[in-house]
Amino acid sequence: MTSAPLVAVTGAEGFIGSHLTEALVATGHRVRAMAQYNSFSSYGWLETLPADVLAEVEIVLGDVRDPGSVRGLLEGAEAAYHLAALIAIPYSYQAPHSYVDTNVTGTLNVLEAVRQLGTPRLVHTSTSETYGTARTVPITEDHPINTQSPYAASKAGGDRLADSYHASFGTPVVTLRPFNTFGPRQSMRAVIPTVIGQVAAGSREITIGDLRPTRDFTYVEDTARAFLAVGTAPLEQVAGLTFNAGTGGEISVGDLVRFIGKVMDADLDVREDERRVRPANSEVMRLVADASRLHAATGWSPAHDLEQGLAKTVAFFRDPGNLARYKTDIYNI
Ligand SMILES: NC(=O)c1ccc[n+]([C@@H]2O[C@H](COP(=O)([O-])OP(=O)(O)OC[C@H]3O[C@@H](n4cnc5c(N)ncnc54)[C@H](O)[C@@H]3O)[C@@H](O)[C@H]2O)c1
């Protein structure tokens, strides 16, 4: 490892966390990266990063539900990026306690460690799901919070704790609120990898949930740059604030599937799978971002449109080595 500034990342072995880790190293940081403790000593997607990136990454197994584990991760770090979370909405119907433990208590543990250690900056991760179905579009940060799933509620709980720590203790926390992110390494729980993965595995009959909801899809490298933007902007411009990260574009799931078929040159037969359809009041029907606050504070704007992002994602899933890491034939919740 070099003597570059050290930053800590929770959820580093996951989809967005592994891209953020790469982006941090590419911009001259050393990363202490938490992968969730497991008996296989698996480092998740961090294991697939190039050796020159890993040379700047110290991987530690730990758990955000454990205060000591979080404190050890943050010791000596100049900034912390908190991405660890349980993220699947369907699984939050089955195991809501674990969502509170991870997303609420886990965030509290991170905030307490930042407070006790005097960590100079924390970037906390929210989600557009906390807005619920859009009442006004595009959605600004002042849009009401309406949590329609236990997942969204647990994330909003973490957000409120972050706001309260800033108000109560002056904790230097900034909240990034990404809209739907997609790209290489995303799990099959999300719609884009579900469709691309099934097509790449040879299927033309695509099973999917509700086709009507609309989303604002952001390519993962752009989301990672949004994290870096709020993590490196002058603190006084971002501390205590929440920033949306999204493109401002909007597409329905049905149109998205047709678009993926076009990009992959495949004639798709789309079937709605009842198991994937959410309870009517829990499904968020419309999300589209107004990211002008982030743009004004940091200059961030997305570098990929949907087609460019999908092209990179398709290339990833068409690589047999990558596809072999997924179970394309089951419903991944
Ligand atoms: N993917 C999206 O579209 C999206 C959109 C908005 C916000 N987010 C947020 O971005 C963050 C990253 O999500 P992602 O899509 O990369 O999902 P992911 O599941 O790939 O990453 C989450 C990571 O957190 C880790 N984790 C879970 N419980 C943990 C625990 N108790 N201790 C330590 N680590 C634990 C998991 O192992 C996983 O690697 C999350 O906070 C999520 O809420 C994601």
Side-chain angles (χ1 to χ4, degrees):
M1 279 226 196
T2 59
S3 57
L6 176 71
V7 298
V9 179
T10 72
E13 83 279 41
F15 162 51
I16 300 175
S18 61
H19 285 277
L20 174 61
T21 299
E22 278 190 288
L24 283 162
V25 171
T27 50
H29 300 85
R30 289 179 297 143
V31 178
R32 189 180 293 138
M34 183 192 277
Q36 187 174 11
Y37 175 82
N38 64 87
S39 62
F40 303 104
S41 295
S42 167
Y43 300 153
W45 288 111
L46 292 174
E47 294 183 6
T48 68
L49 301 189
D52 59 327
V53 174
L54 288 176
E56 297 298 320
V57 180
E58 177 196 350
I59 302 174
V60 293
L61 290 176
D63 200 302
V64 295
R65 292 169 296 183
D66 185 274
S69 180
V70 174
R71 225 187 123 97
L73 182 84
L74 265 56
E75 209 120 35
E78 295 190 9
Y81 293 81
H82 173 43
L83 282 78
L86 291 178
I87 69 146
I89 292 168
Y91 188 56
S92 81
Y93 302 139
Q94 290 185 16
H97 282 274
S98 56
Y99 280 66
V100 172
D101 290 347
T102 304
N103 299 353
V104 182
T105 307
T107 298
L108 179 62
N109 290 336
V110 173
L111 289 161
E112 263 304 300
V114 166
R115 184 180 166 212
Q116 287 169 19
L117 295 167
T119 307
R121 182 180 315 213
L122 169 63
V123 179
H124 164 69
T125 313
S126 178
T127 169
S128 56
E129 285 285 323
T130 58
Y131 291 124
T133 298
R135 296 176 191 188
T136 51
V137 290
I139 297 175
T140 68
E141 293 82 356
D142 298 325
H143 185 284
I145 298 299
N146 178 27
T147 53
Q148 293 176 228
S149 63
Y151 165 65
S154 66
K155 291 294 288 185
D159 298 354
R160 293 279 152 97
L161 279 169
D163 291 345
S164 78
Y165 264 60
H166 182 261
S168 306
F169 310 117
T171 303
V173 55
V174 46
T175 297
L176 188 73
R177 185 167 283 155
F179 282 58
N180 289 64
T181 296
F182 72 99
R185 306 180 197 146
Q186 188 165 27
S187 81
M188 286 280 163
R189 298 166 296 185
V191 57
I192 290 179
T194 298
V195 177
I196 294 179
Q198 288 180 57
V199 177
S203 176
R204 294 295 175 266
E205 201 176 275
I206 304 303
T207 47
I208 202 161
D210 197 332
L211 296 169
R212 296 167 303 152
T214 70
R215 291 291 185 270
D216 179 344
F217 289 100
T218 309
Y219 185 62
V220 65
E221 288 173 23
D222 291 326
T223 302
R225 283 195 304 105
F227 275 98
L228 276 178
V230 294
T232 56
L235 187 62
E236 61 281 5
Q237 284 177 27
V238 295
L241 294 174
T242 295
F243 292 91
N244 287 340
T247 68
E250 184 182 20
I251 186 169
S252 72
V253 173
D255 286 346
L256 172 71
V257 176
R258 278 184 280 280
F259 192 48
I260 292 173
K262 210 179 99 193
V263 170
M264 297 186 79
D265 201 15
D267 200 5
L268 304 182
D269 178 12
V270 183
R271 307 237 161 132
E272 207 172 77
D273 178 354
E274 216 174 85
R275 291 172 309 157
R276 299 176 194 238
V277 176
R278 295 179 190 158
N281 291 331
S282 186
E283 180 62 83
V284 172
M285 294 308 294
R286 188 172 193 199
L287 288 174
V288 49
D290 180 337
S292 46
R293 180 185 286 178
L294 179 61
H295 180 72
T298 70
W300 179 89
S301 54
H304 299 78
D305 65 20
L306 184 60
E307 188 165 4
Q308 291 165 327
L310 284 176
K312 288 188 175 181
T313 311
V314 167
F316 171 84
F317 279 97
R318 278 192 168 142
D319 179 323
N322 294 331
L323 192 61
R325 294 171 181 273
Y326 288 88
K327 299 181 174 71
T328 56
D329 54 338
I330 62 161
Y331 171 36
N332 300 262
I333 75 162

